[in-house]
Amino acid sequence: MRQIFEKLLYQRSFPAVLLGIVLVCSFIGLGSWGLTETSESRYAQIAAEMVDTGDYLRPQLMGIYHYHKPPLTYQITALGYHIFGKSEFASRFFMQIALLIQLILVFKIAMLLFENRKKALLAMLIYFSLPLVLVSTRNLTTDAYLNTAVLSSIYFWLSYKSNEKLWYNLLFFYLFLGIIINIKGPVGLIFPALLVFSHAIIFKSKIRFNVLALSGLILFIILSGFWTFSLTQQYPDLLNYFVDEQILSRVNSNSYNRTKPIWYYALILPLVILPWLWPVVKSFFRADRSTNPNRSLNRLLIWNVVLIFIIFSAFSTKLILYILPISLYLSFLAVQGIDKMNPKQKKYTEFIVAAIGLIIPISASLAAGFSDQIEIDHLSLIAISLTVLILYVWLFRPSQDSIRLAILALTTGFILIVSSTIFFRNNEIMVNSVKPIMTHIEHDPELNSRRVLVFNYLLASAEFYSEQPVITVNNGHNTVQRDLRFQDNENWKNTIVNMRGRDKKVILDSLMQKPSLILVRRRSDQIESSDLFLNRKLQMIDFDKWVLFY
């Protein structure tokens, strides 16, 4: 078996076979859980409104123009709706294609840097098994698409530097810089810029500015400026709004309540690169003493990890997916660390990876046993655990030494995808999806004809699942503070009711005169503003995090 696998390893078609397996696995249960709040539902609903209105340049969220980010992510998602219809599967479909492209790029970049097919395959499979990467492709945000564009720009830059006669690679580099702007804005350029300049310093390669580079720069300017400048005639303040409030304010202020302490990434990053932390650390701290001819490569990888870590730690707003492109360098460092290990250390690493892979489904099943709030499909998790255990019994025979880590990496990625899918499907309310609530309303003949009100929270997924506009009742929460400066009409007044500074009971009386349902959040086991609702003769259905009054 080992000889067969090693022979396949060097076949040109073998990576394609692996990628096909990964793609099939990534589609398993992709639409089996509802859209989650707040980010995924927001992106999905904006794309749905693009399809409904036919306006693909001016994103709208629940009827109000939403210029927080350029529209490319919404447009890609809208394409999924055109192909498959409006659904969770359609909203997440192209992220799986993005994952496939990322794996191809990781393999190709690894081939450029390592010049070793076995290392490149291992790097690709380690990348696939990183929880940070898989999280980005199972929940709709810009991050998976941004990461794909960043990896593309890095690949084409390194391809150009390896052979400058292939001039078109430089144009593709600038093309993907423009795409980065259309996904995330200028912040996304930090990642390729760090790679370009660190590569120039470490490998002493010149960055030439010639006619070809000028052509690429013009291409970049046209692509990156098209959306903004196409709207500035209608909205002269749009560019300032986008730069000042949607970029700079996120760097140095408490934007959208995402401020985290400076040590946030130091705490979270090790957890989301399990189970490869040990080889990364080994490569990281032994780089300077290494006699390996790839010492310059190690420095390049470490510089980029450290610089990304420092820069994004300095920003006020922090989310773990903001540093998603760091995954490329961490997977390469893991390969470098494994390459330096003696047989005993490598065996230790294999057991850690195998143990974590087995712990994931077992811990999910045990958590359900200890908590009444967690529901789980125990039979499915037991089946996964037994399958993995049988695979490990075969894999840990002495004859499988050379292929063990590659198979472990592939298996870990599969376990993470399947186990998380089972968990999300069985615990939709817990993972912040209101699909069960909206499904209950739809199938209850007493409720489905009533209008839906959401108290003091912008619940985009409620609108996604509803056949009629959802009314948001504003009582001061940050999510319901909508930016109205770009509105060209007052239709928004039909779907937003302001309670702030007014008699709340009078307003609620007025709203409930029509047959209505009102969704209210439960915070720390307390119903928000409970005095407004509990003293009324209203029926109540408890959905754990939410309470439905009518």
Side-chain angles (χ1 to χ4, degrees):
M1 185 69 180
R2 181 185 64 180
Q3 291 79 8
I4 295 172
F5 190 89
E6 288 184 335
K7 186 176 179 180
L8 285 171
L9 200 65
Y10 292 96
Q11 295 291 322
R12 292 184 64 85
S13 61
F14 186 61
V17 173
L18 284 178
L19 291 169
I21 295 171
V22 167
L23 186 62
V24 170
C25 178
S26 69
F27 286 132
I28 294 174
L30 187 63
S32 62
W33 72 95
L35 298 174
T36 58
E37 296 292 337
T38 59
S39 295
E40 181 176 48
S41 63
R42 186 170 63 250
Y43 285 98
Q45 177 59 23
I46 291 172
E49 291 183 44
M50 278 187 168
V51 174
D52 291 341
T53 63
D55 189 342
Y56 292 88
L57 288 180
R58 300 185 299 172
Q60 297 181 58
L61 177 59
M62 301 175 76
I64 295 175
Y65 291 120
H66 190 85
Y67 295 126
H68 291 196
K69 286 185 178 68
L72 188 54
T73 297
Y74 313 132
Q75 293 164 349
I76 294 170
T77 308
L79 178 60
Y81 296 156
H82 279 294
I83 297 171
F84 301 105
K86 192 176 80 169
S87 66
E88 299 91 344
F89 177 87
S91 69
R92 299 171 184 140
F93 172 80
F94 280 106
M95 290 193 299
Q96 314 318 305
I97 305 302
L99 174 61
L100 184 70
I101 295 171
Q102 287 173 32
L103 293 173
I104 294 170
L105 290 166
V106 170
F107 177 78
K108 287 184 170 293
I109 294 169
M111 285 296 293
L112 287 170
L113 295 178
F114 293 132
E115 297 180 345
N116 182 302
R117 188 176 181 82
K118 192 172 182 179
K119 283 187 175 182
L121 277 171
L122 182 57
M124 181 183 78
L125 294 173
I126 288 175
Y127 181 90
F128 169 66
S129 68
L130 291 176
L132 180 59
V133 171
L134 295 178
V135 165
S136 73
T137 60
R138 308 300 281 182
N139 186 279
L140 175 60
T141 64
T142 60
D143 300 291
Y145 299 122
L146 173 65
N147 197 31
T148 306
V150 167
L151 294 182
S152 298
S153 66
I154 290 172
Y155 168 69
F156 284 113
W157 175 260
L158 292 175
S159 296
Y160 174 70
K161 297 306 292 183
S162 67
N163 186 354
E164 293 190 3
K165 291 181 179 179
L166 301 177
W167 55 269
Y168 52 83
N169 283 319
L170 186 61
L171 294 182
F172 276 114
F173 167 72
Y174 282 105
L175 170 71
F176 279 100
L177 293 187
I179 292 174
I180 288 171
I181 293 289
N182 280 284
I183 295 173
K184 190 83 169 183
V187 174
L189 297 178
I190 291 173
F191 303 104
L194 289 177
L195 185 280
V196 167
F197 289 111
S198 60
H199 184 273
I201 294 169
I202 292 170
F203 289 93
K204 298 179 173 60
S205 61
K206 295 181 179 179
I207 302 175
R208 297 184 179 87
F209 191 79
N210 49 28
V211 175
L212 181 61
L214 178 61
S215 301
L217 185 60
I218 293 171
L219 175 63
F220 164 71
I221 292 171
I222 292 171
L223 281 175
S224 60
F226 172 76
W227 175 69
T228 304
F229 291 113
S230 66
L231 295 181
T232 50
Q233 290 183 344
Q234 184 178 0
Y235 308 118
D237 295 332
L238 180 63
L239 183 59
N240 289 335
Y241 163 81
F242 187 64
V243 172
D244 292 341
E245 298 188 30
Q246 295 304 321
I247 297 174
L248 297 180
S249 68
R250 292 174 183 248
V251 172
N252 56 31
S253 69
N254 183 19
S255 177
Y256 301 97
N257 291 335
R258 292 175 179 174
T259 295
K260 302 290 191 300
I262 195 167
W263 44 261
Y264 172 78
Y265 290 121
L267 176 66
I268 301 297
L269 187 60
L271 300 177
V272 293
I273 65 171
L274 287 173
W276 305 102
L277 182 60
W278 160 237
V280 168
V281 170
K282 183 175 179 61
S283 179
F284 203 97
F285 288 104
R286 299 199 62 180
D288 291 338
R289 292 179 287 173
S290 173
T291 58
N292 194 306
N294 287 327
R295 182 175 176 180
S296 293
L297 172 57
N298 251 55
R299 288 178 61 203
L300 177 70
L301 301 175
I302 290 170
W303 277 33
N304 277 272
V305 169
V306 170
L307 289 171
I308 291 171
F309 184 85
I310 291 173
I311 290 171
F312 282 87
S313 292
F315 291 173
S316 295
T317 58
K318 299 179 184 71
L319 290 177
I320 191 59
L321 289 177
Y322 287 175
I323 60 169
L324 175 61
I326 206 173
S327 305
L328 173 73
Y329 307 116
L330 293 173
S331 61
F332 288 179
L333 283 169
V335 171
Q336 292 285 75
I338 291 166
D339 193 48
K340 294 174 185 178
M341 291 178 179
N342 59 43
K344 185 177 180 180
Q345 291 172 328
K346 190 174 290 187
K347 183 74 70 175
Y348 176 66
T349 301
E350 291 167 353
F351 275 110
I352 291 176
V353 176
I356 290 174
L358 197 56
I359 286 169
I360 292 167
I362 293 174
S363 60
S365 188
L366 289 175
F370 286 105
S371 173
D372 294 335
Q373 295 181 333
I374 298 176
E375 296 182 9
I376 211 73
D377 183 349
H378 292 284
L379 288 178
S380 296
L381 289 177
I382 291 170
I384 293 169
S385 302
L386 289 175
T387 303
V388 170
L389 194 59
I390 292 168
L391 175 64
Y392 286 174
V393 169
W394 168 78
L395 199 56
F396 275 90
R397 295 184 303 169
S399 60
Q400 312 304 331
D401 285 348
S402 62
I403 65 171
R404 190 174 296 129
L405 273 173
I407 297 297
L408 284 172
L410 186 64
T411 305
T412 302
F414 290 158
I415 292 169
L416 284 168
I417 288 176
V418 176
S419 298
S420 63
T421 298
I422 292 170
F423 185 86
F424 291 162
R425 185 181 65 209
N426 287 278
N427 298 276
E428 291 182 280
I429 297 289
M430 179 174 286
V431 298
N432 291 327
S433 172
V434 297
K435 184 180 180 180
I437 302 173
M438 301 308 293
T439 302
H440 179 89
I441 293 171
E442 180 185 356
H443 291 99
D444 189 327
E446 186 182 356
L447 304 180
N448 58 21
S449 60
R450 301 177 183 232
R451 63 178 185 169
V452 176
L453 291 74
V454 179
F455 181 76
N456 205 30
Y457 199 82
L458 191 69
L459 200 60
S461 59
E463 182 121 338
F464 185 90
Y465 293 116
S466 178
E467 295 183 357
Q468 55 185 326
V470 169
I471 297 173
T472 302
V473 180
N474 178 0
N475 194 36
H477 192 265
N478 67 290
T479 61
V480 296
Q481 308 311 311
R482 307 300 305 276
D483 196 322
L484 302 170
R485 76 186 76 179
F486 300 113
Q487 291 306 111
D488 50 17
N489 58 58
E490 295 190 346
N491 293 340
W492 58 271
K493 291 184 177 180
N494 297 324
T495 55
I496 296 180
V497 176
N498 185 23
M499 272 190 172
R500 300 180 72 187
R502 302 167 67 186
D503 190 322
K504 298 177 175 55
K505 292 186 177 181
V506 171
I507 293 172
L508 190 59
D509 285 339
S510 175
L511 289 171
M512 299 304 289
Q513 285 178 1
K514 292 182 180 180
S516 302
L517 309 169
I518 184 160
L519 267 173
V520 185
R521 286 187 305 159
R522 188 191 294 279
R523 305 177 68 180
S524 302
D525 293 328
Q526 297 295 319
I527 299 173
E528 184 176 357
S529 300
S530 59
D531 57 310
L532 282 175
F533 306 101
L534 296 180
N535 295 328
R536 296 170 178 271
K537 294 180 180 180
L538 296 175
Q539 296 190 60
M540 182 180 82
I541 304 176
D542 196 328
F543 289 96
D544 189 26
K545 289 186 177 183
W546 292 88
V547 178
L548 182 67
F549 290 100
Y550 63 98

